[in-house]
Amino acid sequence: MEERKQSEPRWISGIEPSEELLTASGTQILELECREQPARLTELIHAYQTDPALLAQLRAIREQSSNPGPVIFLGMGASLCSSMSGSVYLQSNGRSSFSVDAGEWLHYYSTGDDAALFVLLTTSGESAEVVELFKKESNHRLALICNNSASTCWSLAQHRLPILAGPEYGNATKTYTNATASSIILASEILGIPWSDNAERAEEVFSRSLDRIFALRSDLEEFCRGAANIEIIGRGAAYGAAIMSALCIREMTGMRAAAHTGAGFRHGPNLDVDATHVAIIFAMGRVAQPGIKLAAECNRRGGKVVLISSEEHEASDRLFPVKLDEVPEPWEGITTLLVPQALTLGMVERNGCRLPPRFQYGVMEQ
């Protein structure tokens, strides 16, 4: 009996995938899950607007956050990236907030006695570090954003918000998108700022832009082909998207990619820009002009730039402009990721996919 129990599959989100999915390639899974993003985002926004249980959870978390002290978001990998839109939005509206790697917090940080609220993000709900944090911290100060309602973290959490992305078998695409939206909505609730109109605007831009940008994937791949390295540059909420973009490219293609803030890139990495270098620059919102200026500087040094901006720019052999409609801050943390996703698809279609689909949870360890 025990041997049979141990051998039972631990399907992602507790759902057995179809035979069609089980035989799909990494490239097929990546495109499928990328294209699921708009529908999943729409579903999440509607649920957070109307579901009585979710509205009650948001109220309870908002009440807890009214205590003095910062709101601290904790996650790892794509989950940490997702949290940045929430913490940046709080910080830019006068509420102290930070995004911190959950593993670093577990081993090196203080107990955080001065924090009003910890928001833990985990797709699986089984990450060893996050489970341990739940065991160490007083539950009334914890809120969970999670994609697995059958997980250990979900069972331990008193206040919990679902990501509603469905099972995900490749790179974190739809889980990043929906977790980011959850973080922004929660931050808006904490601030007492209405969010529905902004969310619907972002969803509309995201949905309308996906096909157009994905149609550019072969051109993006050709433009970036032969680069020694790719660096993605964003500020504010788009810095989280930049880190997620680098993870997507590295995991799916094996190509070395790195993320930087605009200021961080300028103070060091831009010194080695030459003809072997490609920069992907998110020039959106209040930081559009510094991003455009940095793109021109990279071009002067001989480097190539994929420039994501709401303005029209003339293409050249060193500049690949992609126009993307503005969205209210901090929703650019979602929309900007479409371009690196399209590039990644172009790369894996040409060179093969490095990351095979994962249908079951592995061992969760630190």
Side-chain angles (χ1 to χ4, degrees), residues 138-194:
S138 174
N139 202 295
H140 75 278
R141 291 201 301 165
L142 294 177
L144 175 70
I145 297 176
C146 180
N147 198 46
N148 184 5
S149 60
S151 66
T152 301
C153 285
W154 191 269
S155 67
L156 291 172
Q158 179 180 352
H159 302 307
R160 54 203 187 190
L161 299 172
I163 294 173
L164 301 177
E168 187 171 63
Y169 306 122
N171 179 259
T173 53
K174 54 187 181 170
T175 54
Y176 166 83
T177 296
N178 274 25
T180 300
S182 298
S183 298
I184 296 170
I185 292 169
L186 177 57
S188 302
E189 290 282 342
I190 290 171
L191 292 166
I193 297 175

Side-chain angles (χ1 to χ4, degrees), residues 9-20:
R10 298 177 65 217
W11 300 116
I12 300 292
S13 297
I15 299 173
E16 183 175 356
S18 67
E19 187 64 32
E20 181 182 8

Side-chain angles (χ1 to χ4, degrees), residues 224-297:
C224 297
R225 192 181 304 166
N229 61 310
I230 296 175
E231 291 177 304
I232 304 100
I233 299 139
R235 297 175 187 250
Y239 179 49
I243 302 173
M244 187 62 238
S245 299
L247 286 172
C248 183
I249 292 170
R250 292 187 73 157
E251 288 182 2
M252 303 308 293
T253 74
M255 173 76 184
R256 295 300 172 91
H260 306 274
T261 64
F265 183 81
R266 181 173 293 284
H267 291 276
N270 72 325
L271 297 177
D272 70 357
V273 171
D274 58 22
T276 70
H277 184 274
V278 171
I280 300 175
I281 300 177
F282 300 144
M284 303 294 294
R286 70 176 76 180
V287 293
Q289 291 309 309
I292 293 167
K293 181 180 178 182
L294 184 59
E297 183 175 336

Side-chain angles (χ1 to χ4, degrees), residues 125-146:
E126 301 290 356
S127 303
E129 293 86 349
V130 180
V131 171
E132 187 64 25
L133 285 169
F134 261 103
K135 294 177 180 178
K136 290 181 64 174
E137 180 55 49
S138 174
N139 202 295
H140 75 278
R141 291 201 301 165
L142 294 177
L144 175 70
I145 297 176
C146 180

Side-chain angles (χ1 to χ4, degrees), residues 19-57:
E19 187 64 32
E20 181 182 8
L21 284 173
L22 287 170
T23 57
S25 68
T27 301
Q28 291 169 329
I29 290 289
L30 177 61
E31 177 154 14
L32 172 68
E33 294 184 337
C34 282
R35 291 191 179 277
E36 285 183 356
Q37 290 174 114
R40 295 294 185 176
L41 180 58
T42 300
E43 177 188 351
L44 179 136
I45 291 169
H46 180 71
Y48 277 59
Q49 288 170 327
T50 61
D51 186 283
L54 274 176
L55 294 172
Q57 287 288 328

Side-chain angles (χ1 to χ4, degrees), residues 36-354:
E36 285 183 356
Q37 290 174 114
R40 295 294 185 176
L41 180 58
T42 300
E43 177 188 351
L44 179 136
I45 291 169
H46 180 71
Y48 277 59
Q49 288 170 327
T50 61
D51 186 283
L54 274 176
L55 294 172
Q57 287 288 328
L58 288 169
R59 284 194 300 271
I61 298 170
R62 181 175 65 243
E63 290 172 5
Q64 176 58 42
S65 70
S66 65
N67 294 325
V71 175
I72 300 174
F73 289 81
L74 298 170
M76 296 172 293
S79 295
L80 178 63
C81 300
S82 298
S83 77
M84 291 182 180
S85 291
S87 61
V88 165
Y89 194 47
L90 287 170
Q91 194 74 44
S92 64
N93 282 278
R95 178 64 191 266
S96 179
S97 184
F98 310 94
S99 290
V100 184
D101 182 281
E104 293 297 285
W105 185 272
L106 176 65
H107 294 294
Y108 293 108
Y109 284 62
S110 69
T111 57
D113 289 338
D114 60 340
L117 179 70
F118 294 96
V119 182
L120 279 66
L121 288 88
T122 168
T123 294
S124 69
E126 301 290 356
S127 303
E129 293 86 349
V130 180
V131 171
E132 187 64 25
L133 285 169
F134 261 103
K135 294 177 180 178
K136 290 181 64 174
E137 180 55 49
S138 174
N139 202 295
H140 75 278
R141 291 201 301 165
L142 294 177
L144 175 70
I145 297 176
C146 180
N147 198 46
N148 184 5
S149 60
S151 66
T152 301
C153 285
W154 191 269
S155 67
L156 291 172
Q158 179 180 352
H159 302 307
R160 54 203 187 190
L161 299 172
I163 294 173
L164 301 177
E168 187 171 63
Y169 306 122
N171 179 259
T173 53
K174 54 187 181 170
T175 54
Y176 166 83
T177 296
N178 274 25
T180 300
S182 298
S183 298
I184 296 170
I185 292 169
L186 177 57
S188 302
E189 290 282 342
I190 290 171
L191 292 166
I193 297 175
W195 55 266
S196 286
D197 288 347
N198 289 352
E200 290 172 3
R201 166 64 178 168
E203 188 278 328
E204 188 270 330
V205 169
F206 189 82
S207 299
R208 173 164 41 81
S209 302
L210 189 147
D211 283 342
R212 174 178 61 85
I213 291 175
F214 277 25
L216 300 173
R217 62 214 221 189
S218 295
D219 295 332
L220 283 163
E221 185 279 325
E222 184 177 3
F223 181 82
C224 297
R225 192 181 304 166
N229 61 310
I230 296 175
E231 291 177 304
I232 304 100
I233 299 139
R235 297 175 187 250
Y239 179 49
I243 302 173
M244 187 62 238
S245 299
L247 286 172
C248 183
I249 292 170
R250 292 187 73 157
E251 288 182 2
M252 303 308 293
T253 74
M255 173 76 184
R256 295 300 172 91
H260 306 274
T261 64
F265 183 81
R266 181 173 293 284
H267 291 276
N270 72 325
L271 297 177
D272 70 357
V273 171
D274 58 22
T276 70
H277 184 274
V278 171
I280 300 175
I281 300 177
F282 300 144
M284 303 294 294
R286 70 176 76 180
V287 293
Q289 291 309 309
I292 293 167
K293 181 180 178 182
L294 184 59
E297 183 175 336
C298 287
N299 281 170
R300 285 196 300 272
R301 292 176 178 271
K304 290 183 172 183
V305 175
V306 177
L307 179 64
I308 296 94
S309 169
S310 62
E311 302 176 2
E312 296 283 356
H313 296 274
E314 186 176 350
S316 71
D317 59 345
R318 294 181 185 174
L319 183 69
F320 193 117
V322 180
K323 185 176 180 181
L324 185 63
D325 289 344
E326 287 281 6
V327 292
E329 289 185 344
W331 291 92
E332 71 275 14
I334 290 175
T335 56
T336 50
L337 192 64
L338 285 172
V339 178
Q341 285 181 349
L343 170 61
T344 304
L345 275 168
M347 294 172 75
V348 297
E349 285 174 342
R350 177 178 172 82
N351 302 310
C353 185
R354 177 176 179 269

